[in-house]
Amino acid sequence: MIKLSKFQEVKLQKPAPKGIAVYGEPMAGKTTFAGKSDKPLFLSFDRNAKNAGYNAIIPETYQDVVDIIEQAPDAGYRTIVIDTAEDMANMMELEVLDNHKAKSLKEAGDYGAGFGEFNKMFSTVISSLSKSPLTVYYLLRANNDEEEGLVIVLKPKLFNIIGGYSDALVEINNKHEAKWKKKRYDWEDSELPVPLNNIVDPEKAKAAKLAELGL
């Protein structure tokens, strides 16, 4: 039975980001950026972090991912990096297809069972990460569109799941420059840990430029 505590006056805070989604084109520097975080463990689905020498594991199954999330805090890690989210999704989809001996999620089981199984896997991992004491970086590939700019490759439905558990969205361009696209709070750089304390804020940069011009 839940027992409520007595009403207390609210004192709002600005906790540091726990979930950070980072997107950019291949070789833009997403892995290097996340590698500057506090004691990171890479789930190196694309093997790049592993090959680069970071503390990294290459999960082969959904259960591997669940086990890693559970064990990482006790092993001394402070951060988990999903590198990349679409590669993790692909691994899970292939696992469902293999379990059902199917060629597509539509054919895997009856009445959309394959889609349901896959969505449950993906959602469970993201939810488990949000409940863990670890900071989480979700690395996402993007393609450069002439009209829209950088467009995230991960399917919108899956990106929305990650977005729902994230506190910040960071874009990294091909000059390896990181800038805020969205953030839950208006943090000051001094309030944030590395590497989040050195990200360009377009709105603040614009305001500073206007102030410099006396506008």
Side-chain angles (χ1 to χ4, degrees):
M1 179 178 178
I2 295 177
K3 186 176 181 180
L4 296 179
S5 59
K6 293 184 179 180
F7 174 80
Q8 299 180 16
E9 291 297 329
V10 175
K11 185 178 180 180
L12 297 179
Q13 303 179 44
K14 294 193 292 184
K18 187 179 184 304
I20 304 101
V22 181
Y23 71 95
E25 290 186 89
M27 296 182 286
K30 300 183 294 296
T31 297
T32 302
F33 178 80
K36 297 175 183 177
S37 60
D38 187 15
K39 296 181 180 178
L41 173 64
F42 282 79
L43 273 64
S44 185
F45 295 95
D46 64 3
R47 291 173 167 73
N48 289 336
K50 181 74 171 178
N51 293 338
Y54 290 102
N55 287 306
I57 296 178
I58 302 173
E60 296 183 357
T61 67
Y62 162 74
Q63 191 59 50
D64 285 348
V65 178
V66 172
D67 291 343
I68 291 166
I69 295 170
E70 182 178 343
Q71 296 174 32
D74 292 336
Y77 295 101
R78 301 288 298 276
T79 306
I80 272 192
V81 183
I82 304 298
D83 190 8
T84 65
E86 58 270 16
D87 287 321
M88 181 176 74
N90 289 339
M91 182 203 72
M92 292 178 182
E93 181 173 342
L94 289 173
E95 185 172 341
V96 172
L97 297 182
D98 186 59
N99 290 341
H100 290 274
K101 301 296 186 291
K103 295 182 179 180
S104 69
L105 291 177
K106 184 177 180 180
E107 298 175 4
D110 299 324
Y111 308 107
F115 286 107
E117 189 175 338
F118 166 76
N119 289 331
K120 183 178 180 180
M121 281 181 173
F122 193 87
S123 298
T124 298
V125 165
I126 305 305
S127 177
S128 296
L129 286 167
S130 73
K131 294 173 183 176
S132 80
L134 302 162
T135 298
V136 186
Y137 282 75
Y138 301 99
L139 305 191
L140 305 151
R141 291 194 195 93
N143 291 328
N144 198 356
D145 183 274
E146 291 184 2
E147 296 182 359
E148 299 182 33
L150 288 177
V151 178
I152 293 171
V153 171
L154 188 68
K155 294 178 181 178
K157 182 176 181 179
L158 302 181
F159 175 69
N160 288 338
I161 294 173
I162 289 175
Y165 287 99
S166 295
D167 300 308
L169 179 63
V170 176
E171 177 186 286
I172 298 183
N173 62 26
N174 284 339
K175 295 180 181 179
H176 311 303
E177 298 169 334
K179 66 178 180 180
W180 296 108
K181 297 299 289 184
K182 293 182 181 180
K183 49 184 177 176
R184 191 173 297 279
Y185 302 105
D186 187 23
W187 296 287
E188 296 296 332
D189 288 350
S190 59
E191 298 173 342
L192 295 172
V194 176
L196 303 177
N197 61 347
N198 191 29
I199 298 178
V200 174
D201 188 321
E203 294 299 322
K204 288 184 178 180
K206 181 179 179 181
K209 186 64 176 180
L210 291 175
E212 183 182 324
L213 297 172
L215 300 176

